[in-house]
Amino acid sequence: MIETERFQKTALGGAEQRCIDPACGARFGLNERLYVCPSCGGLLDVVLKAANDTDPRTLRAVWTSRLASFDPHDRSGVWRYRELLPFAGDTPIVTLAEGNTPLYDAPVSAAYCELDGLTLKHQGCNPTGSFKDTGMTTAVTQALILRARTVVCASTGNTAASLAAYAARAHLQCAILVPRGQISHNKLAQSLDYGAAVLELDGNFDDAMRVIRELAEDESIYLVNSINPFRIEGQKTVAAELLQQRDWRVPDHVVVPGGNLGNSSALGKGFKELKDLGLIDRLPRLSVVQAEGAAPFASLFGSESDVLTPIEHPQTLATAIKIGAPVSWQKALRAVLESGGTALSVSEQEMADAKAVIGREGIGCEPASATTVAGLKQLVASGVIRSDEDVVAVLTGHILKDTDYAIKYHQEELYTHDRTSGKTKEERRLTGTYSNPPARVKATKAAIVEGLRRHEQEHSGEA
Ligand SMILES: [Zn+2]
């Protein structure tokens, strides 16, 4: 009976940590402070085991009833689905009322992609402006359970901002390792305001990841990168929230940006568990879109190989996904293959234009998020997705996450970074296909009327 004893009690039944390598399959308790399998070095999954009397109709009804509750556990769009989480029902939680993000109808983006319709799930509407908050609430809650004193992450910016905020809420010391000069000012500003120790490293994100694994050997430190299985657990609840918002109608396709690939892994796990529990009867096809200069996962899809080859010097203006050695690629691969989805990459120009189109919806997003709409345009053009299919794109970050990028695009001063390509600066300039630069006018009524007329003329016939 040793098998069942390792399962620790949760709201749904029980859960344990398990190595994802089927050849190993080592199993561990939830409160063992692990990041990778000590036997083989593989990634760890949290595996849930539902109680025998779990009824999908009861779960749906409970989750719906919680929408009318003011209890902080119910107000959170993550903890509302606590039956899916590896925590006991009475766990004290660290929450900022994360989740609860809107599902927007996006006709302008749909027309741009030549789709009949498109909905955008905007994870940038979380408390710190990115999808990371849904995983940070569970990871920092776990840090308290493990009695950590310090939480640490390496980050391209969004993880740092999110961890800094949740650590502050939990009164934990927070250390952020960021590649110097390579994250957006907006994200840096957040981490500073939330009181984190921001340590700028000489090197890129992948170097920061390497150092951090060494740090994690210290018992008082808890590592909160996407390798952490408890972050994936919080992030997977987005699948439940998305489906509940759609009255449990499963979309044909869900498209996500790909950086470290924790988000695609989490969504895939979320949909799969909901199917296993009988809440849905099929999986949406999950597809991942990367930036062309940082696309090791998309390259893996186009190749014969089944092992990801890291990229040593990833290049993209979308700093959130400027990652050459994504730690969660095996989990993401499993999720994409199981759902029948795909992976692809888009150019800097395609991403920049798609971002401006999403802006014209009155929605907006950070550059990495726009890979989704740019990728959809390709997938429809190549016939992988039919124009009448039901598609959801996940936007991962708020437009205010990278204001420098937006302003430069609209002033046509956005340059790609591929200095090694031998291109001149002018050749590296991105075209402001949908640019909307500010105009300087005299402070008179006539000048303003003329300015409006000119603006209308210049933008007539656009998206
Ligand atoms: Zn293992």
Side-chain angles (χ1 to χ4, degrees):
M1 288 308 286
I2 296 164
E3 266 212 351
T4 51
E5 278 169 17
R6 203 174 285 106
F7 276 99
Q8 195 169 312
K9 198 162 165 38
T10 67
L12 184 72
E16 65 173 8
Q17 300 189 81
R18 196 180 293 172
C19 176
I20 69 162
D21 183 350
C24 171
R27 305 166 63 191
F28 310 93
L30 287 180
N31 293 347
E32 292 186 55
R33 200 180 62 99
L34 301 168
Y35 308 106
V36 292
C37 172
S39 309
C40 75
L43 295 177
L44 294 170
D45 253 346
V46 169
V47 177
L48 291 178
K49 197 175 166 198
N52 290 334
D53 58 352
T54 305
D55 174 21
R57 281 163 306 181
T58 309
L59 277 180
R60 283 189 193 185
V62 166
W63 293 341
T64 300
S65 72
R66 286 177 188 159
L67 291 170
S69 157
F70 291 102
D71 182 315
H73 290 76
D74 297 337
R75 292 315 300 159
S76 164
V78 171
W79 296 96
R80 181 177 304 137
Y81 307 99
R82 51 192 170 272
E83 285 75 11
L84 303 175
L85 297 176
F87 294 91
D90 56 354
T91 302
I93 61 170
V94 184
T95 180
L96 284 163
E98 53 288 318
N100 301 304
T101 60
L103 195 60
Y104 290 122
D105 176 30
V108 179
S109 303
Y112 180 74
C113 301
E114 300 194 37
L115 282 167
D116 297 347
L118 173 64
T119 46
L120 302 175
K121 174 71 172 157
H122 205 333
Q123 292 299 98
C125 296
N126 268 291
T128 76
S130 87
F131 73 101
K132 305 284 187 179
D133 295 342
T134 54
M136 217 49 89
T137 182
T138 41
V140 174
T141 293
Q142 180 68 8
L144 286 185
I145 291 172
L146 298 178
R147 300 180 190 282
R149 276 186 297 130
T150 306
V151 283
V152 186
C153 75
S155 173
T156 58
N158 281 332
T159 304
S162 183
L163 179 59
Y166 282 86
R169 296 292 295 173
H171 308 292
L172 290 171
Q173 185 187 32
C174 174
I176 302 294
L177 303 186
V178 292
R180 191 162 61 88
Q182 292 182 48
I183 76 166
S184 91
H185 267 102
N186 312 67
K187 297 174 187 181
L188 184 60
Q190 287 184 288
S191 297
L192 297 175
D193 239 35
Y194 299 141
V198 176
L199 308 170
E200 298 182 314
L201 297 191
D202 291 317
N204 62 20
F205 174 76
D206 302 309
D207 294 320
M209 272 307 288
R210 182 178 43 75
V211 174
I212 216 167
R213 287 192 195 193
E214 292 170 28
L215 271 177
E217 285 159 23
D218 188 316
E219 282 283 313
S220 67
I221 291 177
Y222 189 52
L223 176 57
V224 195
N225 272 99
S226 67
I227 199 167
N228 182 314
F230 291 88
R231 270 187 56 198
I232 302 283
E233 289 305 293
Q235 279 177 221
K236 80 181 181 189
T237 62
V238 176
E241 185 179 88
L242 167 67
L243 287 164
Q244 187 182 25
Q245 287 170 315
R246 294 170 49 95
D247 201 18
W248 301 96
R249 278 178 301 109
V250 180
D252 297 317
H253 297 270
V254 172
V255 181
V256 283
N260 222 0
L261 300 171
N263 202 27
S264 9
S265 307
L267 273 168
K269 188 172 194 280
F271 289 124
K272 173 140 194 330
E273 287 179 358
L274 292 169
K275 182 168 174 276
D276 292 344
L277 285 168
L279 281 123
I280 52 174
D281 58 7
R282 65 186 176 101
L283 299 174
R285 290 183 180 211
L286 182 68
S287 293
V288 176
V289 192
Q290 298 199 291
E292 168 178 275
F297 191 66
S299 302
L300 174 63
F301 258 76
S303 75
E304 300 283 288
S305 172
D306 52 9
V307 178
L308 179 135
T309 308
I311 291 172
E312 205 173 328
H313 300 291
Q315 291 288 0
T316 172
L317 296 177
T319 49
I321 52 171
K322 189 175 171 182
I323 294 169
V327 297
S328 299
W329 70 268
Q330 288 159 304
K331 287 185 180 180
L333 182 64
R334 186 179 61 181
V336 172
L337 291 179
E338 192 165 15
S339 75
T342 188
L344 65 158
S345 67
V346 297
S347 69
E348 295 293 306
Q349 184 69 55
E350 289 172 309
M351 180 168 33
D353 288 340
K355 178 175 138 55
V357 169
I358 297 164
R360 294 290 173 88
E361 301 275 7
I363 294 173
C365 61
E366 74 166 307
S369 307
T371 55
T372 53
V373 167
L376 277 169
K377 192 172 169 65
Q378 280 189 24
L379 290 169
V380 176
S382 62
V384 174
I385 294 182
R386 288 194 325 269
S387 59
D388 63 346
E389 287 189 284
D390 185 356
V391 184
V392 176
V394 178
L395 304 181
T396 43
H398 197 276
I399 183 175
L400 294 177
K401 282 287 192 175
D402 195 345
T403 48
D404 279 355
Y405 181 103
I407 289 169
K408 285 178 179 164
Y409 175 84
H410 289 293
Q411 298 189 326
E412 301 211 54
E413 285 170 10
L414 198 55
Y415 298 92
T416 63
H417 281 165
D418 51 347
R419 295 203 179 88
T420 49
S421 65
K423 286 183 181 168
T424 64
K425 188 173 181 190
E426 198 45 45
E427 286 165 340
R428 289 190 286 107
R429 184 204 293 266
L430 294 182
T431 306
T433 318
Y434 301 96
S435 73
N436 179 32
R440 214 167 151 179
V441 294
K442 281 202 182 115
T444 66
K445 184 183 169 187
I448 290 167
V449 169
E450 171 56 19
L452 283 175
R453 194 195 59 77
R454 203 178 306 137
H455 186 268
E456 191 172 34
Q457 197 176 32
E458 282 164 4
H459 296 283
S460 67
E462 276 183 12

